[in-house]
């Protein structure tokens, strides 16, 4: 099975990178697992475009567009933004980037997101980069870096962990069953974690090489 997908025949609306081979890597891990730091390293060393679903939603709200107003209202009402809305924002960002290699960070957040992404785009990730870290270590990191923020209290942090465990782990288990998960021990120092990441992304690795 090829690991780099041809979007030309698979995109549901015919607009996404229609003449390129596209590499998509989902980046998953709990709050405080160091995803953002490592994504920045991957972008710098391997030329990927880093897309954060949360950042795209916030940018759309800030733009004042009709779509952004709808997203903002849904969030205010405590509703979950439909997967298709987030996926369309991801597709647009991929199109506009001019790149053909993407890190999608913090998405899919749950099984429904995952299924919708594959249905709407016709693509699966080349692999899933999973930053595995003990809850105690993530808790320690969040408490040390978020001092003074409203969301740095232990109850809120533990609630975020519970949501992550309940929602994201089924996604990781699904892709693991397909042999697509590359698990990284994220509890180690940043430099050591990136050494492990480099082993996954090295061009000699047939899983990743375009």
């Amino acid at each position: 099975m090829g690991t780099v997908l041809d979007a030309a025949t698979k995109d549901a609306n015919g607009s996404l990178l229609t003449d390129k081979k596209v590499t998509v890597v989902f980046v998953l891990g709990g709050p405080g697992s160091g995803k953002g730091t490592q994504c920045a390293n991957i972008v710098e060393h391997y030329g990927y475009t880093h897309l954060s679903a949360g950042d795209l939603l916030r940018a759309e709200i800030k733009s004042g567009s009709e779509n952004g107003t709808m997203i903002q209202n849904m969030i205010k009402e405590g509703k979950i933004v439909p997967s298709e809305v987030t996926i369309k924002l991801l597709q647009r960002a991929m199109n506009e980037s001019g790149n053909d290699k993407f890190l999608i960070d913090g998405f899919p957040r749950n099984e429904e997101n995952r299924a919708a992404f594959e249905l709407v785009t016709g693509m699966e990730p080349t692999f899933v980069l999973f930053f595995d870290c003990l809850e105690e270590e993530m808790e320690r990191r969040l408490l040390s870096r978020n001092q003074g923020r409203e969301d740095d209290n232990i109850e809120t942090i533990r609630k975020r962990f519970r949501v992550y465990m309940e929602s994201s782990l089924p996604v990781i288990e699904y892709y693991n069953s397909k042999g697509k998960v590359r698990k990284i021990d994220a509890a180690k120092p940043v430099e050591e974690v990136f050494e492990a990441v480099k082993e996954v992304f090295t061009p000699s690795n047939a899983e990743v090489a375009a």
Side-chain angles (χ1 to χ4, degrees):
M1 185 200 305
T3 57
V4 180
L5 298 161
D6 184 350
T9 58
K10 302 209 174 191
D11 178 20
N13 58 22
S15 65
L16 174 60
L17 300 163
T18 51
D19 58 350
K20 294 183 180 179
K21 300 283 188 179
V22 181
T23 302
V24 171
V25 176
F26 288 151
V27 183
L28 299 176
S33 61
K35 297 193 307 294
T37 298
Q38 296 303 331
C39 281
N41 285 334
I42 295 164
V43 167
E44 181 181 349
H45 286 79
Y46 297 102
Y48 278 70
T49 293
H50 177 206
L51 299 176
S52 161
D55 287 350
L56 290 173
L57 288 168
R58 284 186 286 273
E60 189 68 13
I61 292 170
K62 195 174 179 181
S63 76
S65 71
E66 187 177 333
N67 198 36
T69 302
M70 179 270 290
I71 293 167
Q72 186 173 35
N73 289 338
M74 291 195 74
I75 292 172
K76 277 183 181 176
E77 293 167 15
K79 296 178 181 175
I80 296 171
V81 176
S83 296
E84 287 76 9
V85 172
T86 306
I87 292 163
K88 292 296 183 186
L89 291 175
L90 286 167
Q91 284 185 304
R92 187 173 73 190
M94 292 165 80
N95 240 348
E96 291 173 352
S97 75
N99 202 351
D100 57 3
K101 300 189 296 184
F102 301 95
L103 302 173
I104 297 183
D105 176 9
F107 186 93
R109 296 177 70 91
N110 53 42
E111 269 288 286
E112 194 271 332
N113 279 176
R114 178 199 66 74
F117 181 88
E118 293 185 7
L119 180 66
V120 171
T121 68
M123 295 190 294
E124 291 186 15
T126 305
F127 61 90
V128 176
L129 194 62
F130 171 42
F131 289 101
D132 189 26
C133 194
L134 288 173
E135 183 173 327
E136 292 79 9
E137 173 61 17
M138 292 191 284
E139 191 175 286
R140 183 190 67 75
R141 291 176 182 179
L142 290 173
L143 286 171
S144 64
R145 80 181 187 193
N146 286 353
Q147 289 186 10
R149 280 177 39 172
E150 290 180 10
D151 61 355
D152 67 358
N153 67 78
I154 200 72
E155 292 81 10
T156 303
I157 287 172
R158 287 179 177 166
K159 183 178 179 183
R160 289 171 67 194
F161 288 144
R162 280 196 301 276
V163 170
Y164 158 70
M165 293 290 286
E166 291 167 6
S167 301
S168 296
L169 283 185
V171 176
I172 293 162
E173 287 166 1
Y174 171 83
Y175 284 121
N176 195 43
S177 73
K178 302 186 79 170
K180 289 194 169 203
V181 173
R182 308 291 178 265
K183 186 162 79 169
I184 303 291
D185 181 356
K188 294 179 178 179
V190 172
E191 296 78 9
E192 290 183 37
V193 173
F194 189 52
E195 286 303 313
V197 169
K198 284 197 284 189
E199 289 183 17
V200 175
F201 280 86
T202 179
S204 62
N205 186 336
E207 297 275 358
V208 184

